[in-house]
Amino acid sequence: MINSVKDYPVSHYFNLDGAQQFFIPKYQREYVWGRNNWEDLFNDLEDASTGHFMGSIICVNKQTDGMAGSRLELIDGQQRFTTISLLFCALYRRLEENQKPDQDLMVELANLKNRIFLKGTNDWRFEPSEQAQNKTDFQRILSELFPKQVSEPKGLKNFGNRRIAKAYSYFIDRLKALSDLEALALLDKLKAAILVKIEVPSHSDAFVLFETINNRGIPLSAIDIIKNNLLAELDKREEYGIDRAFEEWKDLIDLLPEPAVQERFLRHLYNMFKYLKLVEVQGCSRATRSNLITIYDTVLRRRPVWVFQQLQDKAKTYSSLINPVEAKEQWGDAASLALQDLLRLGAAPAYAFLLWVSQVAKSQKWDEGHALQQMAAYLTRWFFWRNLTDTPATRDLDPMFMELVNEILVDLRGGKFDGLSDFIERTRGWLLQTAPSEEICNARLRGDVYLENYEATRFMLCKLEETHQTKETKHDLWAQDSRGRPVFTVEHILPKTENLSAGWVRMLEASGNGSSDAIRQRCTHNLGNLTLSGYNSKLGKMEYSRKRDRKNESGDFIGYRNGLYLNASLEQRSEWNEDAIAQRSDVLVKEVKSILGLREKP
């Protein structure tokens, strides 16, 4: 819901006679604009005739009249408001340097002062964020310009190295090159610049607007809004206070540093524990990106301290679920390896259910590490086939795991599980019913698997190879180069290129199964024609015997005599054709189903 949308000149926000203030809550992030942003603004103002458009701002305001002497929380627009305030200060300093100011200039200086302060008071028109000493640095600037109104902050170190000081210095330097008349003209253009003010009654409404508004500022994420709301609530609690709450929030974010992961965690947390009365929000059957703020706004108003404690506790678990190194420390090698496979498959929806499994294991006093290892191992199989067949559809995964929790919860509360093994078996049985059929799996496995899903195909080949590795033959199949690219990639034995060499054409057509191009199109992406290689680019279009016997400059085999299990049958062959691909496909399909089959226990 939007209270109002109006476009105003900057002079309206920094009104000479107005009592309106804007502030950035102390728990919001710091000022982040840099030289490019300052330069763009200054140049745009200089080049504009008048009324330069500076974008929009979003304020939370529960009053009917947003300009009636209240303090508005600036949700989106911090970067522009901070920069405008600094430019006003720089202009004041530049114009004050005139040794013989006329009456007009004196009036303008007085007006400028009343744009920076509320008229007749020492109250600032705009209060920057307290993060990264933004507010203290701004106080330092004001104290130099207006020593009678603002005291100089004490113990301020490294002032000149921070963004507030650098922005102010940038504008001071740019204004030195302007005459008084040019500086006044720039001031007029700044006052005439247009900002659209959007007032909303809640943080939830503010977030919805971020989806469609594109400003030069750095828009807030869902996590920013939830954090702001959470810390605002905790600041009201005597047992917390803003400083403790903010420090604990930083610890939480350190566990999940990526914004996308933070958002996914919050969605998963709600979806898995929505059945709790303290968690469920009416009208929100499932957490999505669009309703996430509404959900957490509602839950936070109920019991903010309890919610924060749950976030902290579950974030620790979630962090270990997505980080195999942490998982090893917390739950042991077996659980770590199983979770590593899930990570390699990109099975993010599985973490929601595993978060719930962790909680169940704790409440039932089961072995948490064993429970997670068993469940993650089966989910690896389940997600392999799901990814390969795209069944169920991605949009159905979150609702599916929510339904699974509700189903299992009934039996759990009814005391129908005789320990962890029963719980695991019941869950596997339910998941099996949602999996693609054997017919679909077989068809996909014997089809063009490389084209259907490259990542699932590479995972499958790596698992086949890992199963047969020994200490003597072990390779790190998941190693990455300095650019983060996999060292071992999927290699086509019969090249996938349309322009096959004469040797390949003769070999393929000797079988009498049709033209070489028809054979290539039928089977080049089949499982039987795929292997792993760390030297894909050096094998390429080579004829089969050259690929098989290829060596590097040191005399080491880098072709199909490289010791990989996947290449063992290739070492003995002198030719490669459709029949050979079909035979190898039969062998590999059986092994894949043995290693990753859904109907066999991990």
Side-chain angles (χ1 to χ4, degrees), residues 62-96:
K62 296 181 180 180
Q63 296 184 167
T64 303
D65 184 358
M67 302 301 291
S70 63
R71 281 165 54 84
L72 289 186
E73 181 179 346
L74 198 59
I75 295 299
D76 188 42
Q78 174 190 173
Q79 309 302 319
R80 276 155 291 153
F81 257 66
T82 305
T83 307
I84 289 169
S85 297
L86 291 169
L87 184 48
F88 272 141
C89 290
L91 281 161
Y92 185 92
R93 174 172 161 174
R94 167 64 185 80
L95 295 173
E96 192 187 33

Side-chain angles (χ1 to χ4, degrees), residues 399-464:
M400 184 200 79
F401 280 111
M402 293 177 71
E403 183 181 350
L404 171 58
V405 166
N406 290 332
E407 291 277 342
I408 300 299
L409 195 60
V410 172
D411 291 346
L412 193 65
R413 287 172 170 171
K416 296 183 179 180
F417 293 129
D418 184 19
L420 175 59
S421 59
D422 277 358
F423 174 79
I424 298 292
E425 286 304 312
R426 172 79 170 87
T427 305
R428 286 177 183 163
W430 194 96
L431 285 169
L432 185 58
Q433 295 176 27
T434 67
S437 66
E438 280 284 292
E439 292 74 21
I440 292 175
C441 292
N442 286 336
R444 188 58 57 89
L445 201 56
R446 291 185 175 278
D448 292 338
V449 291
Y450 180 89
L451 294 180
E452 296 294 347
N453 191 307
Y454 172 83
E455 293 300 333
T457 299
R458 181 171 178 268
F459 178 85
M460 168 174 52
L461 292 172
C462 287
K463 293 304 291 183
L464 285 173

Side-chain angles (χ1 to χ4, degrees), residues 358-383:
S358 168
Q359 180 61 35
V360 170
K362 291 174 182 175
S363 65
Q364 298 295 315
K365 294 182 171 52
W366 295 334
D367 185 327
E368 184 185 2
H370 185 59
L372 291 172
Q373 182 269 321
Q374 290 284 298
M375 199 59 69
Y378 190 77
L379 284 170
T380 294
R381 296 179 178 222
W382 191 92
F383 267 96

Side-chain angles (χ1 to χ4, degrees), residues 209-418:
L209 295 174
F210 295 148
E211 298 299 304
T212 55
I213 292 176
N214 181 23
N215 293 316
R216 284 184 179 173
I218 315 292
L220 300 176
S221 67
I223 303 303
D224 290 317
I225 299 298
I226 290 171
K227 176 199 71 174
N228 293 351
N229 228 12
L230 170 64
L231 299 186
E233 289 293 332
L234 292 175
D235 193 25
K236 302 173 186 177
R237 269 58 181 183
E238 292 183 3
E239 69 271 29
Y240 252 93
I242 194 64
D243 293 329
R244 174 188 168 187
F246 186 72
E247 288 303 316
E248 290 185 7
W249 175 266
K250 288 197 297 183
D251 291 340
L252 188 154
I253 293 303
D254 286 342
L255 293 169
L256 306 171
E258 295 296 325
V261 176
Q262 296 163 10
E263 184 178 293
R264 189 181 73 202
F265 162 66
L266 291 177
R267 286 191 291 104
H268 285 174
L269 187 59
Y270 178 78
N271 290 341
M272 291 297 97
F273 295 94
K274 185 177 75 71
Y275 57 85
L276 298 173
K277 290 183 179 180
L278 281 174
V279 174
E280 184 177 14
V281 175
Q282 293 299 317
C284 298
S285 58
R286 176 168 63 93
T288 63
R289 192 165 185 265
S290 61
N291 68 9
L292 197 60
I293 304 300
T294 298
I295 287 172
Y296 280 90
D297 269 359
T298 304
V299 174
L300 282 168
R301 284 195 296 270
R302 292 172 184 167
R303 289 180 63 181
V305 174
W306 179 82
V307 171
F308 195 26
Q309 290 171 344
Q310 294 302 310
L311 286 173
Q312 290 172 296
D313 178 62
K314 298 301 186 293
K316 292 176 183 177
T317 300
Y318 203 85
S319 178
S320 294
L321 290 174
I322 64 177
N323 292 292
V325 173
E326 291 182 21
K328 182 177 181 179
E329 294 178 0
Q330 187 164 349
W331 300 307
D333 288 341
S336 175
L337 291 173
L339 290 167
Q340 193 168 56
D341 280 342
L342 274 180
L343 182 65
R344 289 165 175 167
L345 267 176
Y351 298 130
F353 184 63
L354 290 173
L355 188 64
W356 185 73
V357 170
S358 168
Q359 180 61 35
V360 170
K362 291 174 182 175
S363 65
Q364 298 295 315
K365 294 182 171 52
W366 295 334
D367 185 327
E368 184 185 2
H370 185 59
L372 291 172
Q373 182 269 321
Q374 290 284 298
M375 199 59 69
Y378 190 77
L379 284 170
T380 294
R381 296 179 178 222
W382 191 92
F383 267 96
F384 165 72
W385 296 103
R386 193 232 76 86
N387 291 358
L388 194 65
T389 63
D390 201 29
T391 305
T394 302
R395 65 177 179 275
D396 296 329
L397 293 177
D398 284 348
M400 184 200 79
F401 280 111
M402 293 177 71
E403 183 181 350
L404 171 58
V405 166
N406 290 332
E407 291 277 342
I408 300 299
L409 195 60
V410 172
D411 291 346
L412 193 65
R413 287 172 170 171
K416 296 183 179 180
F417 293 129
D418 184 19

